[in-house]
Amino acid sequence: MELLVLPGDGIGPEIVAAAIRVLQTVNEKYDLSIDLDYDDVGFTSLEKHGTTLRDELLQRAKSYDGIILGPQSHMDYPPPAEGGINISASFRVKLDLYANIRPARARDFLERGAPGMDLVIVRELTEGFYADRNMYKGWAELMPTEDMAISLRKITRQACERIARRAFEVAEERRQKVTAVHKANCFHITCGLFLEEVRKVAAEYPHVMLEEQIVDATAALLVRDPTQFDVLVTTNLFGDILSDLASELSGSIGLAGALMAGDNLAAAQAQHGSAPDIAGQNVANPTSMILSVAMLVEWLGKRKSDDRLLNAGKEMVESVDRVLADPTLRTRDIGGSAHTDEFATHVASNIQKAQSREA
C-alpha cells in the first residue's frame, strides 16, 4: 500500500511527523507494507509552484490507497485567482470524499469533558451552505448591491442518501441509533429533502432506531447530556459546528480524530486548524492527527478485509489512551509538559512494549 502524505501549514509538519512515527511502529509490528510518498501543499507549494494545490497533485492523489493531510491556513491564502486554492474543499469535492466521520469520546481519566460521552458525527462534505464547493461553475455567494449579500445552499438527493447510508452503517457497529439533525422548521424544502432521504435509508435498517432533532435543540442537548446520542448525521454546515462542539465537550478539539471518506478513497485529517501561533515550537498536541491516521488504517482494513490493518488502527487508538492516562506524558494544552515529538515517542514505545508483553 502507498499513502500520500501532505504535511500542510502551521503545525501540520510537526503533528504529521508525530503521526507518521506512530504509523511506522504499527507498520513494522503488523508487517503492513505501507509506503509513504510526500508532496507539498499550502504555503510551501505556493512558494514553489504559485499555487497551494497543483492540479497534477490532485489528480495523482486518486492513485493512492489513502491520504494523510495536515492542517491548512486557508484563511490566510491569497484569492483563488492568485493561487490560494482551498485544499480541503478541493479534495472533498474533486475526489468525492463526501463523508466526514468525526468521533467524540470522553476519557474519564482526563478529568475533563462530559462523562460517558461516546458519539460519532457523520457530516456531508460536498454541498450545503459552503459557497466554494456547491456550484458546477461560479460561486454560490453574490452581492446584487453593496448593501446586500446572498448565499445559496445546495442540497441534493444523492448526497443526502449516501451520507445517510454511511451513518446507518456506522450505527450498525455501535449502539444502533441514528439522530438526523436538521432545521426543517425553517428550511422546509432543503432540510425537508434531507429528511426524506434519511427516512428512506432508515427503512432498510429496521433494527436501527432513527430520531429527528432540530439543530439548535441538538446543540442544547449535547451540552446537557451527550450520552443520549450515538450517531448523528447531518448536512455540511451543521455538522461542522456540532462536531467542534462535541469535540470540546469530550475534552478538547485537540483530542478529536477525523476521516474524510469516499467510496474508494479516504484521507486522514486532524479536526483542528493549523495554529500558526505555535508553529515550529514543538508544543502542538498531535493526538488528533494520530487518531485520524488510525481511522484511515482501520478504514483500509475494512475495505481490504485485512485484520492486520484493523488491529493496527485499534492499537494506535489504545496506545494514545494509555499515554494520555499518565498526566506527566500529556502535552501542555491538556495540562502536561511533553513536546509534540515526545508524545509521539511515548505512544510508539507503548506499542512496542505491548508487542514485548505479547511475545
Side-chain angles (χ1 to χ4, degrees):
M1 290 178 295
E2 191 168 24
L3 304 182
L4 175 62
V5 182
L6 306 169
D9 303 313
I11 61 172
E14 299 164 74
I15 64 171
V16 167
I20 295 300
R21 170 78 175 85
V22 178
L23 175 62
Q24 293 287 33
T25 304
V26 294
N27 190 25
E28 295 172 6
K29 176 177 179 177
Y30 290 94
D31 192 23
L32 302 178
S33 299
I34 293 176
D35 293 322
L36 304 175
D37 187 12
Y38 287 78
D39 213 319
D40 297 319
V41 291
F43 280 118
T44 302
S45 177
L46 184 67
E47 183 177 348
K48 290 182 179 179
H49 307 288
T51 177
T52 56
L53 179 61
R54 310 183 323 271
D55 286 338
E56 173 274 326
L57 176 60
L58 186 62
Q59 294 305 314
R60 182 159 54 87
K62 299 176 183 178
S63 66
Y64 290 87
D65 293 286
I67 302 164
I68 298 173
L69 179 60
Q72 307 108 54
S73 301
H74 61 83
M75 282 289 291
D76 299 321
Y77 291 168
E82 299 174 18
I85 306 301
N86 187 318
I87 301 161
S88 291
S90 297
F91 271 60
R92 291 166 180 177
V93 175
K94 296 183 180 180
L95 300 182
D96 206 24
L97 304 181
Y98 60 87
N100 198 192
I101 313 299
R102 293 185 164 187
R105 172 174 56 88
R107 299 164 174 86
D108 293 340
F109 55 76
L110 284 178
E111 299 178 350
R112 60 193 298 169
M117 178 181 189
D118 183 5
L119 58 85
V120 177
I121 293 179
V122 179
R123 166 196 173 200
E124 205 287 322
L125 284 177
T126 63
E127 54 181 32
F129 266 124
Y130 285 73
D132 61 349
R133 68 198 72 174
N134 67 10
M135 304 289 282
Y136 169 72
K137 188 175 183 180
W139 199 262
E141 284 192 317
L142 60 154
M143 292 188 72
T145 74
E146 63 180 357
D147 299 316
M148 178 188 295
I150 298 173
S151 183
L152 304 178
R153 183 191 195 205
K154 180 182 77 174
I155 299 292
T156 64
R157 288 194 185 277
Q158 179 201 22
C160 294
E161 185 275 337
R162 65 184 184 177
I163 198 64
R165 195 167 297 281
R166 298 294 85 76
F168 277 88
E169 289 171 354
V170 172
E172 275 195 308
E173 299 179 355
R174 290 174 50 87
R175 301 192 302 276
Q176 300 187 344
K177 178 182 177 183
V178 171
T179 302
V181 182
H182 64 92
K183 190 67 175 173
N185 56 327
C186 295
F187 297 110
H188 302 287
I189 298 175
T190 50
C191 276
L193 179 59
F194 167 72
L195 288 176
E196 282 181 28
E197 293 306 307
V198 172
R199 291 165 187 161
K200 287 179 185 177
V201 174
E204 301 177 30
Y205 295 83
H207 52 288
V208 177
M209 174 185 174
L210 171 65
E211 68 174 7
E212 299 171 6
Q213 193 69 256
I214 295 174
V215 62
D216 40 316
T218 303
L221 292 170
L222 275 170
V223 174
R224 180 189 300 173
D225 178 20
T227 63
Q228 66 188 280
F229 295 108
D230 181 23
V231 176
L232 296 88
V233 61
T234 191
T235 49
N236 204 340
L237 181 61
F238 296 161
D240 196 2
I241 295 169
L242 290 177
S243 58
D244 281 4
L245 170 61
S247 296
E248 282 297 328
L249 288 172
S250 73
S252 169
I253 197 171
L255 302 175
L259 188 72
M260 302 188 298
D263 292 331
N264 301 304
L265 184 65
Q269 183 182 33
Q271 191 168 321
H272 55 73
S274 61
D277 57 316
I278 59 170
Q281 299 178 33
N282 195 27
V283 296
N285 187 346
T287 297
S288 179
M289 194 73 245
I290 296 171
L291 294 179
S292 300
V293 172
M295 291 178 69
L296 175 61
V297 171
E298 288 195 57
W299 181 87
L300 286 166
K302 291 176 182 177
R303 195 174 188 289
K304 297 176 180 292
S305 299
D306 190 330
D307 287 340
R308 295 175 306 158
L309 288 161
L310 291 170
N311 292 333
K314 291 175 182 176
E315 182 155 8
M316 290 175 71
V317 174
E318 292 169 357
S319 294
V320 165
D321 279 358
R322 285 194 289 265
V323 172
L324 288 174
D326 186 341
T328 66
L329 304 182
R330 299 170 189 166
T331 49
R332 70 179 190 179
D333 60 305
I334 50 174
S337 59
H339 289 92
T340 307
D341 56 358
E342 291 173 338
F343 184 88
T345 298
H346 291 314
V347 176
S349 297
N350 195 280
I351 294 170
Q352 292 166 338
K353 291 177 182 176
Q355 183 175 14
S356 297
R357 289 194 295 270
E358 292 164 5

